[in-house]
Amino acid sequence: MRLPFDTGVSTHVETSPRSAGFSPARLDRITAHLERHYIEPGKIAGCQLLVARHGIPAYFRSFGFMDRERRRPMRDDTIFRIYSMTKPITSVALMQLFEEARFMLNDPVARYLPSWEHQRVWVSGDGDEMETKAPNRPVSFKHVLSHTAGLTYGATNHPVDKAYRRLGIQRGPGETLDTFVEKLGRAPLRYEPGERWMYSFATDVCGALVERISGRRLDAYFRERIFEPLGMTDTAFFVPPEKQERFAANYQRQPDKTLKLIDDPETSSYLREPSFLSGGGGLVGTTRDYLRFCEMLRRGGELDGARIISSRTLELMTRNHLPGGQDLTSLAIGAFSETANEGVGFGLGFAVTLDAARAGTLGEGDYYWGGAASTIFWVDPREDLVCIFMTQLMPSGTFNFRGQLKNLIYSAID
């Protein structure tokens, strides 16, 4: 079934709640909820929500402002910073190369990243007094795809994170994927590979592996193997001049609960091509484009004749890969993530709801992720459902948009 978003020309979306199996009246409670609790009190400047089931858009609304300072209303074709919603795209890209037998999941990544050949694991101490040891096993492709590699984000005062800062490990201007992974290979691992879970730079490493294995720059690979086949016309690592007027402002919630503009769409660094192509969080895009990606996932890896990945590979990616079938409660280190821990597992690029009762949510069996500016998506194979929520509010844990929207959406299914 072709979607109303197919052409990339019209931004009008025909919705049909009843055809998608929803009660229109119950589904429309979403509108009142978002307006009353978020838009009217100014908790967010604006947002956008799309719900589709069986490939049929059931709900699509744009709320508030994309740029509050200039009073620009949220457009249906607004371009958002999707941050860590880049991660599933990068993971699919790397698994395309898995399908070509370019690597096995248990292969060491040092096969393509020579600077990782002699990694060490932190044991104790700090700085010159740090004690390390050889890892029990090398970091594998499975480890970087599932955030169990022993990497971190370098943001705390832990000795390993301090080592990251001494080595200058960052994703900013002047850095490249090559210099990034070379530095990262010299840093100690936070824990034994495969034994814990920690949200980290791992998916940026996946992006570097896509480049090393394919011989293509990450942006070119994405464009040729994912974006063009799916018709994702507005997804990229930067916003070109002709699309700047559609680029949203980004805000941060202050301690006094007001919004502060932290990235102006007219002066943003996203208006220039970056030196560092972040597979972990570098993309911008539209709801329409991300729907194309999610619909491909919902249909088992294919959309409108474009086979992106096989259904068998996707099934493998969306299984829980945490050791012993455990959830994140048992294995996660650190509080920073785009998911809660109880009843949630992690696959190869996606979180997975293992137990709805433990997770305290609806949608058991779904897979999902989110971004730092409070963007979220999920795909629910059991309900044949896709949901995409876009806004630009940091930090992402400010409000439980995912939980609230799940209550509203699932209770509207007839």
Side-chain angles (χ1 to χ4, degrees), residues 84 138 204 218 268 291 327 357 411:
S84 286
D204 287 298
L218 190 60
S268 173
L291 175 64
D327 69 5
S411 64

Side-chain angles (χ1 to χ4, degrees), residues 126-299:
D126 195 352
D128 294 338
E129 305 299 318
M130 182 182 292
E131 180 184 350
T132 63
K133 64 180 285 290
N136 295 334
R137 62 187 67 83
V139 174
S140 70
F141 282 82
K142 178 178 176 178
H143 294 148
V144 292
L145 281 159
S146 61
H147 290 283
T148 59
L151 306 177
T152 84
Y153 261 129
T156 75
N157 284 322
H158 189 277
V160 170
D161 289 356
K162 291 179 183 178
Y164 276 40
R165 293 193 285 275
R166 285 194 297 272
L167 289 166
I169 297 169
Q170 50 90 30
R171 299 182 293 182
E175 197 71 81
T176 68
L177 280 173
D178 285 340
T179 59
F180 173 79
V181 293
E182 191 279 328
K183 293 176 185 176
L184 202 53
R186 292 189 274 128
L189 299 173
R190 173 70 171 77
Y191 56 86
E192 286 284 355
E195 294 188 1
R196 303 301 296 268
W197 186 94
M198 191 171 192
Y199 200 38
S200 69
F201 284 130
T203 314
D204 287 298
V205 176
C206 291
L209 289 166
V210 170
E211 288 199 343
R212 294 286 176 93
I213 297 169
S214 70
R216 303 286 291 159
R217 269 182 37 138
L218 190 60
D219 53 353
Y221 185 96
F222 280 176
R223 184 172 61 252
E224 295 164 11
R225 297 289 300 271
I226 298 177
F227 298 158
E228 288 182 354
L230 290 178
M232 296 172 66
T233 56
D234 287 321
T235 305
F237 284 104
F238 71 104
V239 180
E242 65 272 18
K243 298 180 181 182
Q244 180 183 334
E245 66 178 9
R246 295 196 279 130
F247 190 34
N250 196 12
Y251 298 92
Q252 184 177 65
R253 185 171 168 88
Q254 299 296 96
D256 64 359
K257 300 183 180 181
T258 61
L259 294 181
K260 176 184 177 182
L261 178 67
I262 58 171
D263 192 26
D264 189 318
E266 295 199 353
T267 59
S268 173
S269 61
Y270 280 94
L271 301 177
R272 300 176 295 279
E273 185 173 358
S275 64
F276 186 87
L277 303 177
S278 174
L283 291 174
V284 298
T286 60
T287 297
R288 176 259 177 202
D289 275 12
Y290 215 83
L291 175 64
R292 298 289 294 170
F293 180 72
C294 287
E295 277 295 298
M296 175 274 295
L297 298 174
R298 184 191 66 85
R299 290 166 53 108

Side-chain angles (χ1 to χ4, degrees), residues 94-113:
L94 187 56
M95 290 302 287
Q96 288 178 321
L97 299 169
F98 167 82
E99 290 189 329
E100 296 172 7
R102 308 290 286 274
F103 65 89
M104 299 293 109
L105 285 176
N106 292 327
D107 285 349
V109 297
R111 175 179 167 190
Y112 289 100
L113 305 177

